[in-house]
């Protein structure tokens, strides 16, 4: 027991406090450096996880000098991020929700950028005999056979589309032990489907870059109704004054420009194109 | 089993020829978690010591509350910090959301209760042993806090390491307030979550193995410091 600890203690305490101050300073400086020119883009897991942004963002930076930081969420959450003013640009895929977002004054103007398509994946053995081109017929068969189906159930664009397809197939609200709501992103839902050999609706981009497929294969594809449109919009600076409207607008302008559209078309996995640009000139 | 060996091989490969991106993710994880451990200890250690020695009304309730906070759900912390830092929240004008700073804030909030609760126990045990001696020397509470903190410093280093462990292994809160932005707020744990959702389980597990090794290295370093100073100071 040493009571002459005043000096020792002070030295340790001072060192520790100095470290704490240094840590905070480093972080503050880091954040300040980052203030240069960057914008925050709220987008969806399908665009991020498919690797599209890895191709797109460096080209955008080269063209404009602006760094785009992507936060990847489900479409519902991404729009909510825009509504709260936590993003400068929203780049998602749920036309109905996007138009409401703009109509409510949170977005400036919605521009169409590109499309891909949804597919239904399921076990190779296809217990519901759902294989084919018709999405509605396939869903009816899955419901009738009570074969397991994994749903996102997370208010994402894919989830919204899935609910629309069930409705169109005459099934108001799928229910029962066979219908499993994962409440998670596309990847985790595919992991679940793969583990329990369930059917699932997914966008093609995520599927192509998804590795843990197990027994799953594509069951339904090529239906006109499976078209999946992506839109981009600047968050309204009138609602949120801090929105970086010039840099954000540059991003919007660039993705619909010939250069941006060409960059989207050029992105391929194993020779297969993932997204098809269709901005109106 | 095969997958685990594949991951081990992949982990070794990553560490041997890690590209710049991988190194950046590991460095950021380490940096932020250490910052949170230091900040959390700067607040949590004195707080724990004061609760251990101080005699004030509501002390018992505070001890129970501190111990209960050991199980603070990180997703809730993430949500609260998110709502505070969001542009629509009270601290929105700081513009901290989706920055490394936001991650450190969330991690620090999670570290404080662990450090405070464990430090309380350590200091209280020492106090039970030395209380009479300190009292007979007429030592006041403030001095007693300092004496005991210094006396138990080696045990408290372990406490700080527990705080570091919590910060480094955190994923829920970090994902919410950091946004897992490539090159900005992507850390080991969120990278693991991302690779898992891409279905690349071997790569996810390989990153996990690297994270465990990093935490192990930090602990080994701390142990070495402790041994060295124990010899030096007797």
């Amino acid at each position: 027991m040493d009571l002459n600890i005043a000096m020792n203690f002070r030295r340790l305490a001072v060192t520790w406090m100095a470290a704490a101050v240094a840590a905070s300073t480093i972080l503050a400086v880091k954040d300040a450096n980052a203030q240069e020119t960057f914008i925050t883009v709220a987008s969806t897991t399908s665009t991020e996880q498919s690797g599209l942004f890895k191709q797109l963002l460096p080209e955008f930076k080269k063209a404009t000098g602006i760094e785009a930081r992507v936060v990847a969420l489900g479409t519902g959450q991404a729009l909510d991020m825009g509504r709260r003013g936590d993003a400068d640009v929203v780049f998602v895929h749920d036309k109905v929700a996007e138009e409401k977002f703009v109509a409510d004054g949170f977005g400036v103007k919605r521009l169409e950028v590109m499309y891909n398509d949804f597919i239904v994946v399921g076990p190779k053995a296809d217990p519901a005999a759902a294989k084919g081109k018709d999405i509605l017929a396939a869903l009816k068969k899955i419901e009738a056979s009570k074969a397991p189906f994994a749903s996102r159930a997370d208010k994402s664009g894919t989830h919204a589309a899935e609910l629309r397809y069930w409705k169109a197939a005459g099934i108001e609200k799928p229910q029962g032990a066979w219908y499993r709501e994962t409440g998670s992103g596309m990847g985790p839902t595919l992991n679940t489907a793969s583990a329990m050999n369930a059917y699932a609706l997914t966008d093609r981009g995520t599927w192509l870059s998804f590795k843990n497929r197990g027994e799953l294969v594509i069951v339904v594809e090529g239906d006109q109704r499976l078209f999946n449109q992506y839109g981009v919009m600047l968050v309204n600076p009138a609602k949120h004054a801090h929105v970086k409207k010039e840099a954000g607008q540059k991003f919007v302008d660039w993705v619909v420009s010939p250069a941006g559209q060409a960059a989207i078309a050029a992105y391929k996995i194993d020779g297969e194109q993932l997204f098809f640009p269709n901005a109106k000139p | 089993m095969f997958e685990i060996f594949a991951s081990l091989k992949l982990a070794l490969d990553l560490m041997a020829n890690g590209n710049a991106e991988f190194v950046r993710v590991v460095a950021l994880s380490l940096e932020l978690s250490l910052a949170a451990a230091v900040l959390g200890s700067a607040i949590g250690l004195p707080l724990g010591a004061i609760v251990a020695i101080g005699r004030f009304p509501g002390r018992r309730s505070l001890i129970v509350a501190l111990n209960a906070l050991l199980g603070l759900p990180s997703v809730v912390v993430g949500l609260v910090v998110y709502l505070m830092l969001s542009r629509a929240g009270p601290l929105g004008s700081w513009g901290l959301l989706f920055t490394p700073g936001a991650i450190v804030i969330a991690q620090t909030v999670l570290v404080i209760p662990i450090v405070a609760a464990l430090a309380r126990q350590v200091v209280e045990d020492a106090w039970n042993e030395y209380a009479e001696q300190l009292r007979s020397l007429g030592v006041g509470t403030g001095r007693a806090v300092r004496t005991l903190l210094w006396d138990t410093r080696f045990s408290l280093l372990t406490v700080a390491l527990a705080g570091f462990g919590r910060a480094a292994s955190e994923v829920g809160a970090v994902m919410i307030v950091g946004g897992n932005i490539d090159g900005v707020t992507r850390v080991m744990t969120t990278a693991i979550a991302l690779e898992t959702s891409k279905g690349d389980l071997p790569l996810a597990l390989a990153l996990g193995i690297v994270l465990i090794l990093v935490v192990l290295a930090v602990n080994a370093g701390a142990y070495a410091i402790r041994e060295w100073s124990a010899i030096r100071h007797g």
Side-chain angles (χ1 to χ4, degrees):
Chain A
M1 182 88 241
D2 177 12
L3 277 177
N4 293 317
I5 49 86
M7 277 305 289
N8 285 337
F9 178 80
R10 198 166 295 155
R11 210 180 303 151
L12 183 70
V14 165
T15 314
W16 200 271
M17 289 302 165
V21 170
S24 333
T25 316
I26 289 169
L27 286 164
V29 170
K30 228 182 189 163
D31 287 342
N33 282 345
Q35 293 298 326
E36 340 170 318
T37 9
F38 76 87
I39 54 167
T40 307
V41 180
S43 191
T44 73
T45 48
S46 54
T47 38
E48 163 86 357
Q49 290 184 10
S50 63
L52 175 69
F53 280 127
K54 270 236 180 318
Q55 158 115 358
L56 228 50
L57 300 184
E59 291 199 34
F60 171 65
K61 179 147 196 198
K62 210 160 46 178
T64 60
I66 298 166
E67 179 193 348
R69 297 180 174 180
V70 174
V71 178
L73 305 158
T75 291
Q77 253 183 306
L79 287 170
D80 196 50
M81 222 180 110
R83 234 172 257 126
R84 302 181 61 88
D86 293 327
D88 304 303
V89 172
V90 182
F91 187 176
V92 291
H93 65 117
D94 184 354
K95 192 173 172 181
V96 181
E98 290 162 44
E99 280 172 346
K100 183 169 186 310
F101 181 77
V102 173
D104 290 346
F106 290 106
V108 175
K109 185 179 174 208
R110 173 181 177 274
L111 292 171
E112 304 207 320
V113 182
M114 61 187 190
Y115 67 90
N116 68 353
D117 62 340
F118 291 118
I119 52 178
V120 175
V121 297
K124 213 181 288 165
D126 194 13
K131 198 162 183 65
K133 213 181 153 184
D134 187 332
I135 172 68
L136 304 186
L139 289 182
K140 277 180 201 150
K141 282 180 193 159
I142 292 171
E143 199 244 6
S145 71
K146 307 271 180 256
F149 183 97
S151 167
R152 296 270 299 265
D154 64 348
K155 292 196 173 173
S156 59
T158 308
H159 179 226
E162 185 211 308
L163 293 181
R164 281 197 296 273
Y165 295 138
W166 284 116
K167 210 167 187 176
I171 299 152
E172 200 51 42
K173 200 169 177 288
Q175 275 170 10
W178 62 278
Y179 186 74
R180 299 178 184 168
E181 301 191 319
T182 67
S184 55
M186 195 69 255
T189 301
L190 284 174
N191 274 329
T192 307
S194 160
M196 58 168 75
N197 261 336
Y199 291 91
L201 180 80
T202 170
D203 61 285
R204 193 183 290 270
T206 305
W207 174 250
L208 284 177
S209 57
F210 185 74
K211 298 209 166 89
N212 182 31
R213 293 182 185 176
E215 294 285 299
L216 300 184
V217 294
I218 296 178
V219 175
V220 182
E221 65 180 327
D223 191 324
Q224 278 294 318
R225 287 168 289 206
L226 289 170
F227 179 82
N228 178 26
Q229 178 69 49
Y230 287 79
V232 71
M233 62 224 78
L234 181 71
V235 174
N236 197 346
K239 285 261 185 195
H240 295 286
H242 59 267
V243 167
K244 294 170 182 157
K245 74 178 162 203
E246 274 157 40
Q249 188 61 47
K250 269 191 193 154
F251 181 84
V252 172
D253 291 345
W254 185 81
V255 290
V256 301
S257 75
Q261 294 275 291
I264 291 169
Y267 183 60
K268 293 185 171 119
I269 293 183
D270 297 332
E272 198 165 343
Q273 183 172 345
L274 267 72
F275 296 97
F276 298 85
N278 68 342
K280 293 180 190 76
Chain B
M1 265 327 268
F2 177 73
E3 274 173 351
I4 292 176
F5 287 123
S7 298
L8 266 175
K9 198 169 157 287
L10 199 56
L12 291 174
D13 198 46
L14 275 172
M15 285 185 293
N17 349 288
N19 55 17
E21 196 185 336
F22 169 74
V23 172
R24 197 174 50 202
V25 169
V26 175
L28 187 66
S29 260
L30 194 57
E31 214 176 303
L32 300 185
S33 306
L34 282 174
V38 168
L39 286 171
S41 301
I43 301 167
L45 291 178
L47 180 65
I50 289 166
V51 175
I53 298 176
R55 291 290 174 267
F56 47 87
R59 175 174 170 270
R60 276 162 209 275
S61 325
L62 191 59
I63 291 174
V64 172
L66 266 184
N67 288 341
L69 283 176
L70 287 173
L72 191 60
S74 62
V75 176
V76 177
V77 170
L79 259 179
V80 171
V81 174
Y82 176 87
L83 292 172
M84 299 293 283
L85 296 182
S86 165
R87 290 288 181 177
L91 308 178
S93 57
W94 294 4
L96 269 181
L97 193 63
F98 304 134
T99 66
I103 295 182
V104 173
I105 291 174
Q107 285 177 325
T108 304
V109 171
L110 285 165
V111 166
I112 290 171
I114 292 206
V115 169
L118 296 179
R120 204 263 317 157
Q121 192 64 55
V122 167
V123 173
E124 195 167 277
D125 290 347
W127 173 243
N128 288 338
E129 200 172 327
Y130 297 121
E132 226 165 293
Q133 193 183 348
L134 287 167
R135 275 208 203 94
S136 70
L137 291 167
V139 172
T141 307
R143 181 102 189 272
V145 163
R146 280 181 284 164
T147 308
L148 291 173
L149 277 177
W150 176 254
D151 234 52
T152 55
R153 62 194 180 280
F154 296 125
S155 307
L156 293 178
L157 183 62
T158 310
V159 169
L161 282 173
F164 169 78
R166 170 122 212 211
S169 60
E170 179 41 41
V171 57
V174 169
M175 187 70 99
I176 298 174
V177 303
N180 192 23
I181 299 170
D182 195 10
V184 184
T185 56
R186 181 160 301 161
V187 295
M188 295 293 289
T189 51
T190 56
I192 293 167
L194 178 66
E195 291 309 328
T196 305
S197 60
K198 281 159 89 170
D200 199 340
L201 306 188
L203 178 56
L205 187 54
L207 289 170
I209 292 168
V210 175
L211 177 59
I212 291 169
L213 291 178
V214 167
V215 173
L216 195 66
V218 169
N219 278 274
Y223 188 80
I225 290 175
R226 181 179 164 159
E227 290 287 285
W228 173 76
S229 43
I231 291 165
R232 194 165 161 247
H233 299 292

